[in-house]
Amino acid sequence: MVDYLNTLNPVQRQAVECIDGPVMVIAGPGSGKTRVLTYRVAHLMRSGIAPWNILCLTFTNKAAREMKERIETVVGIDVRKVWAGTFHSIFARILRIESPKLGYPSDFTIYDTDDTKSVISEIIQTMGLDKKNYNPNNVRSRISAAKSNLITPKMYAQNSELIDYDRMNRMPMIYKIYERYAHKCFRAGAMDFDDLLLQMYRLLYENKDNVKQKYQHAFRYVLVDEFQDTNYLQYAIIKELVNYPGSPENICVVGDDAQSIYSFRGATIENILQFESDFPATQTFKLEQNYRSTDPIIHAANQLITHNRNQIQKKIWTENEGGSKIKILQILSDTEEGRRVADLILEQKNRNHITNRDFAILYRTNAQSRVFEEHLRRNNIAYKVFGGLSFYQRKEVKDLLAYLRLAVNPKDDEALKRVINYPRRGIGKKSVENLIDQATESDQSIWDMLHNGNIKGRSARMIEQFSQMIGSFGRKASEQDAYTTAMHIAKHSGVLAAMREDTSMEGIGRLQNLTALLDGIKEFIDADEAEDIGDVQDKTLSSYLQNIALLTDFDTSEESTDYVSLMSVHAAKGLEFESVFVVGMEENLFPSFMAMSDPNQLDEERRLFYVAITRAKKLLCLSFAKTRYQYGQVRFNDPSRFLKEIPEECFDTVINLGQQTNGLPSEPKRLRRIAPLPKPKLPKLDIDVSDFRPSPSHTIKEGMTVLHLKFGKGEVQKIEGNNANKVATIHFSQIDNPSRKIMLKFAKLQILE
DNA sequence: GGGGGCTATGGGGGG
DNA sequence: CATAGCCCCC
């Protein structure tokens, strides 16, 4: 066993050893917060606390995983039974056991943001509301905010402040949409991300079968990382678990008000301020010594944050004297920024002998990643982009996942809508609309309509077949493991076959993604790791789906890890790198134009920048471009005000950053829009229109040579489909992508031979 | 049924 | 600029 206590400084050590009663640790960046949390858990276990009595809520699953690994090497005790993970993943696990107490199936589906938006759009439509006023995204965030603040639909409807606000924004019916949305999700056996928290709260609050006491008893020691980024609802759950008469109140929260950057999703700094009054016995520890960065970086960070209005007083300091000054780069354009940063990375690699994995490029918006990708690729530097469209959001992946979801929970309307006619099986738009309408009207799921609905016309047989198929998938899912089931579904749904048919470059890529998905499922069932908080390892499809619904980019394993990391500043929270580039340091970008008129939001942007620069251990480079393409226009933005808030002596060169802005937003100057060049049309084919005599469609047969007015001569290779819906595959040798599928009933073709 | 081209619209951060 | 939604056309 490692003598871990002696590796800590006095304050850290106190925070680790003080295991009974409420503890709050205010920890500056790089002050060994993770060490404290990790060693605290290790210390608990060495003091004889059973691992299953420890609940540790971290910000990412990766952080939880790394903590467990570290603990295992430190104390050599089996840590697998510690409840460690994100709020969402831990609560999803508990709800999987307890959700029947709330009327949900234990195989409930987790709706992602796209599903949520789709449900909301449908409600807006069926309510006959104007889509111009009701933007699904706005509505979604209103509903999400309500849930995060424990406001039920009923409370929402009675809250005049909320109703007035919505009325002012010309969306007076949001309360009604909220009510319908909640009902619809419930009826579909689905929870969205907020529900994972909200239903957990309900579970404890309603306390059916004394389930609250069960978990209060189980979680005798509770630890919460990044406490400054928890919202009202999350804190309410923690209090349900810990704050009750006779509680030992063994709760430890760790956070830093200066790094609070998630208020947009309901996080509230109030929680930190509230904590000491909710738990009067709280002992507070402040970790202020920074072990991560060198002096110029720390100095800059301290100075920067003094520009914020409210903060808990603390000053971070370091013994890492000296160190390189901060590099500041003034660049002409955003493209140039990509080139310069890639070049600097090469240079630093050679001069300072650091490897790809030591570098990070951090930006305010994910859309900025592209130029850096381009130039890194050009310089042959391996990189990985975090955030953006994840693997699980790709169309082909979502298609197969929809089938898997449907097998587990056929009431999942969103999944059903996605695949009822994919691959094509002759259940057209009209039939689907009809089913949806009936479902809405009778307040049942679409799945129920497949059996009880009033289905007329040709699609009836196809619908019957589809429903049979999903039923058989469901039986498979309840009998076999996730991989066997998924493989079976991929084959028998026709998804795999549809993919194989598409031999274009993109099509091959999509097939590879599907294969990767299936491989991932195999990995899941082969994995020996005991993510099993229940007693048996759960290898079912249902378990797999719950697992991946909460994965992020950081949770995917890969062979090679030596890459430059590209990510948003938000995503970089909690990480550190030898060399960090913070790019796009311009007004209207960082700080974001969305925040410019609100002092509170400006403060949050500043905290975000604080987080960005404190990721760097040794080298920090800040860059800004004079011109940048934004929303189709060249824009001239001033250097970010944040650059001016860092003392000049921190920088390696002095750059004239212009007038200090007095807090007023500077209107971005813009250039006239440049008209796009017309795209080249199909080459003109020399066909005399007056000679063109299209032949009747039924006379066209495989093997014929035909003439088409735009595509020219072509060879009929294949004819598929029945009667009126025959589709011909014709090879037109005179055009760019010669193989075309044409529906014969529309096409005008003249038979040549 | 579905792809291509056009227009309107948004425009941030994420579990 | 990117994307969504629409219409047109085959």
Side-chain angles (χ1 to χ4, degrees):
Chain A
M1 187 185 341
V2 184
D3 184 10
Y4 54 92
L5 288 177
N6 281 330
T7 66
L8 300 169
N9 74 29
V11 192
Q12 289 176 335
R13 182 164 174 163
Q14 282 177 49
V16 165
E17 288 187 305
C18 181
I19 58 174
D20 291 310
V23 167
M24 177 153 72
V25 181
I26 302 294
S31 61
K33 176 169 66 88
T34 310
R35 271 166 82 84
V36 166
L37 220 47
T38 307
Y39 288 171
R40 198 180 155 86
V41 175
H43 195 67
L44 287 171
M45 290 177 65
R46 217 188 59 170
S47 310
I49 312 294
W52 51 84
N53 287 141
I54 301 171
L55 169 65
C56 185
L57 297 163
T58 57
F59 206 70
T60 62
N61 286 311
K62 180 176 168 240
R65 239 182 354 255
E66 286 175 356
M67 258 185 65
K68 284 183 172 184
E69 281 163 21
R70 183 92 190 100
I71 295 166
E72 189 133 334
T73 56
V74 171
V75 288
I77 306 177
D78 185 1
V79 293
R80 284 180 299 178
K81 299 275 181 197
V82 174
W83 291 75
T86 62
F87 280 86
H88 291 88
S89 68
I90 296 278
F91 296 164
R93 229 178 256 167
I94 293 174
L95 287 168
R96 213 172 131 70
I97 303 165
E98 313 289 356
S99 59
K101 292 193 176 64
L102 301 168
Y104 284 88
S106 58
D107 283 347
F108 64 88
T109 299
I110 298 175
Y111 272 174
D112 67 14
T113 313
D114 290 339
D115 297 319
T116 298
K117 269 203 311 221
S118 159
V119 176
I120 290 173
S121 296
E122 200 184 291
I123 293 170
I124 291 172
Q125 202 153 13
T126 51
M127 285 177 69
L129 298 169
D130 186 0
K131 264 192 276 179
K132 287 234 158 49
N133 288 339
Y134 289 86
N135 171 318
N137 255 328
N138 290 341
V139 177
R140 188 187 71 87
S141 72
R142 289 292 283 169
I143 294 175
S144 172
K147 287 184 172 180
S148 305
N149 286 293
L150 275 177
I151 297 167
T152 61
K154 207 175 268 172
M155 286 158 71
Y156 198 112
Q158 290 163 359
N159 184 318
S160 57
E161 200 181 321
L162 294 171
I163 295 294
D164 287 348
Y165 181 92
D166 287 343
R167 202 171 290 151
M168 244 169 48
N169 288 295
R170 292 201 222 119
M171 296 188 279
M173 297 304 284
I174 287 189
Y175 79 96
K176 196 78 200 164
I177 302 174
Y178 179 20
E179 189 192 338
R180 284 204 185 194
Y181 171 75
H183 179 71
K184 246 186 142 186
C185 289
F186 179 74
R187 203 198 54 207
M191 297 195 197
D192 65 17
F193 289 131
D194 297 312
D195 278 326
L196 295 176
L197 308 177
L198 185 60
Q199 303 306 332
M200 179 69 198
Y201 179 82
R202 253 190 75 205
L203 183 76
L204 299 171
Y205 185 80
E206 291 177 6
N207 198 18
K208 205 170 174 190
D209 306 332
N210 287 327
V211 66
K212 178 159 81 172
Q213 282 71 28
K214 172 176 163 188
Y215 287 99
Q216 282 172 341
H217 186 74
F219 301 142
R220 282 196 46 222
Y221 288 85
V222 177
L223 298 90
V224 184
D225 192 12
E226 308 283 8
F227 187 61
Q228 78 280 357
D229 286 325
T230 53
N231 62 31
Y232 180 84
L233 172 54
Q234 287 167 318
Y235 187 36
I237 297 168
I238 294 168
K239 282 193 281 194
E240 283 295 319
L241 287 171
V242 181
N243 207 357
Y244 57 94
S247 163
E249 296 192 344
N250 294 326
I251 175 159
C252 170
V253 299
V254 181
D256 178 7
D257 60 303
Q259 295 184 65
S260 153
I261 55 175
Y262 278 99
S263 75
F264 73 90
R265 66 176 201 216
T268 167
I269 215 133
E270 293 296 310
N271 289 349
I272 287 194
L273 307 175
Q274 191 66 37
F275 189 82
E276 286 180 304
S277 56
D278 285 333
F279 298 96
T282 297
Q283 301 191 59
T284 303
F285 302 98
K286 276 191 196 176
L287 306 180
E288 295 177 304
Q289 182 176 1
N290 177 296
Y291 296 93
R292 178 185 296 152
S293 315
T294 52
D295 195 45
I297 297 168
I298 299 300
H299 184 50
N302 271 330
Q303 288 302 309
L304 173 79
I305 208 66
T306 59
H307 289 83
N308 267 23
R309 296 164 308 163
N310 308 313
Q311 55 194 309
I312 295 175
Q313 273 311 312
K314 86 177 136 346
K315 197 173 173 84
I316 54 170
W317 58 278
T318 178
E319 286 174 352
N320 304 336
E321 306 274 328
S324 308
K325 292 196 169 185
I326 301 170
K327 198 169 190 59
I328 182 163
L329 285 183
Q330 172 174 251
I331 299 168
L332 278 180
S333 68
D334 48 349
T335 4
E336 187 72 357
E337 192 181 34
R339 196 178 62 79
R340 286 291 295 280
V341 168
D343 287 350
L344 272 171
I345 288 178
L346 264 192
E347 189 189 312
Q348 288 183 13
K349 278 177 75 166
N350 293 330
R351 184 186 300 174
N352 305 4
H353 305 290
I354 46 186
T355 52
N356 291 339
R357 69 162 64 82
D358 295 321
F359 290 98
I361 301 174
L362 308 183
Y363 32 74
R364 178 64 182 80
T365 67
N366 283 314
Q368 284 165 260
S369 72
R370 232 191 54 213
V371 281
F372 302 100
E373 293 180 60
E374 254 169 55
H375 287 91
L376 289 171
R377 209 177 306 136
R378 224 175 270 180
N379 284 359
N380 253 330
I381 302 171
Y383 64 86
K384 176 169 176 178
V385 183
F386 292 84
L389 200 64
S390 89
F391 177 77
Y392 295 101
Q393 287 176 305
R394 294 187 190 166
K395 187 195 167 299
E396 62 276 17
V397 174
K398 291 193 84 164
D399 286 338
L400 182 56
L401 285 177
Y403 272 105
L404 305 186
R405 277 165 56 173
L406 215 45
V408 168
N409 172 17
K411 287 181 189 297
D412 180 346
D413 282 359
E414 293 311 305
L416 189 139
K417 280 193 282 181
R418 199 177 176 92
V419 296
I420 186 164
N421 198 32
Y422 176 84
R424 283 210 327 262
R425 50 174 68 87
I427 305 174
K429 221 161 63 181
K430 270 269 160 281
S431 313
V432 176
E433 263 168 32
N434 185 24
L435 286 168
I436 294 174
D437 287 347
Q438 289 186 39
T440 310
E441 208 160 301
S442 65
D443 191 22
Q444 287 175 284
S445 67
I446 303 176
W447 170 252
D448 293 326
M449 290 304 103
L450 299 190
H451 313 285
N452 318 328
N454 170 26
I455 302 162
K456 39 192 187 298
R458 288 186 306 273
S459 56
R461 215 183 72 240
M462 306 320 246
I463 289 176
E464 171 61 20
Q465 273 178 23
F466 175 73
S467 127
Q468 294 276 337
M469 178 177 75
I470 298 301
S472 77
F473 291 168
R475 285 188 294 280
K476 194 93 183 163
S478 59
E479 289 158 6
Q480 307 271 349
D481 66 69
Y483 181 67
T484 316
T485 313
M487 224 31 204
H488 175 88
I489 292 177
K491 280 183 194 145
H492 292 86
S493 62
V495 169
L496 220 44
M499 287 280 128
R500 291 216 178 96
E501 231 167 68
D502 184 353
T503 51
S504 66
M505 279 291 279
E506 300 81 33
I508 291 167
R510 282 193 283 270
L511 183 60
Q512 282 172 345
N513 285 334
L514 266 199
T515 316
L517 177 66
L518 289 165
D519 288 348
I521 302 176
K522 183 102 175 73
E523 225 170 275
F524 171 79
I525 69 149
D526 287 344
D528 183 34
E529 69 183 276
E531 286 288 316
D532 57 326
I533 290 300
D535 287 322
V536 276
Q537 296 215 355
D538 187 349
K539 305 290 192 194
T540 60
L541 188 58
S542 163
S543 162
Y544 169 78
L545 289 172
Q546 301 234 338
N547 196 47
I548 60 156
L550 300 168
L551 286 189
T552 65
D553 284 343
F554 293 109
D555 300 316
T556 51
S557 60
E558 52 213 298
E559 304 98 62
S560 157
T561 53
D562 191 30
Y563 46 69
V564 174
S565 297
L566 278 68
M567 63 183 87
S568 69
V569 184
H570 282 93
K573 188 170 79 154
L575 306 179
E576 58 178 30
F577 302 89
E578 292 291 313
S579 176
V580 169
F581 294 82
V582 186
V583 298
M585 292 305 305
E586 295 136 41
E587 291 286 290
N588 295 310
L589 184 59
F590 201 173
S592 157
F593 66 95
M594 307 279 285
M596 293 300 248
S597 53
D598 178 351
N600 286 320
Q601 286 196 51
L602 270 175
D603 281 359
E604 178 148 319
E605 295 284 312
R606 190 175 286 106
R607 291 193 294 270
L608 189 59
F609 184 48
Y610 179 84
V611 168
I613 61 181
T614 53
R615 299 308 95 198
K617 289 162 125 174
K618 293 211 174 72
L619 299 166
L620 175 62
C621 176
L622 311 176
S623 68
F624 64 97
K626 303 191 96 166
T627 68
R628 174 177 302 275
Y629 261 103
Q630 267 176 306
Y631 316 122
Q633 294 165 322
V634 181
R635 293 198 166 194
F636 299 84
N637 288 321
D638 291 328
S640 170
R641 67 188 66 193
F642 299 150
L643 294 174
K644 298 162 201 170
E645 293 170 3
I646 293 176
E648 274 183 2
E649 72 262 19
C650 296
F651 291 123
D652 66 337
T653 44
V654 177
I655 286 179
N656 178 17
L657 295 168
Q659 291 286 305
Q660 180 80 35
T661 46
N662 51 7
L664 292 171
S666 64
E667 186 56 28
K669 299 152 221 156
R670 54 189 71 170
L671 269 189
R672 195 166 48 86
R673 200 186 186 118
I674 303 159
L677 290 171
K679 284 181 191 134
K681 289 257 167 352
L682 283 170
K684 225 184 156 76
L685 299 168
D686 239 355
I687 299 169
D688 192 341
V689 183
S690 57
D691 280 354
F692 190 72
R693 302 272 181 276
S695 320
S697 63
H698 67 268
T699 60
I700 292 164
K701 297 276 164 348
E702 290 184 8
M704 286 177 167
T705 304
V706 292
L707 187 66
H708 184 279
L709 267 184
K710 276 195 186 146
F711 302 153
K713 261 192 201 173
E715 187 132 348
V716 183
Q717 298 184 312
K718 205 163 47 167
I719 295 183
E720 303 161 283
N722 43 5
N723 305 330
N725 293 326
K726 280 188 198 164
V727 178
T729 310
I730 306 180
H731 187 88
F732 295 102
S733 51
Q734 287 160 285
I735 57 174
D736 271 353
N737 34 355
S739 188
R740 299 274 179 150
K741 284 192 175 181
I742 290 182
M743 214 142 174
L744 285 179
K745 72 173 164 192
F746 297 123
K748 293 187 181 66
L749 297 164
Q750 178 179 357
I751 298 173
L752 293 183
E753 25 181 302

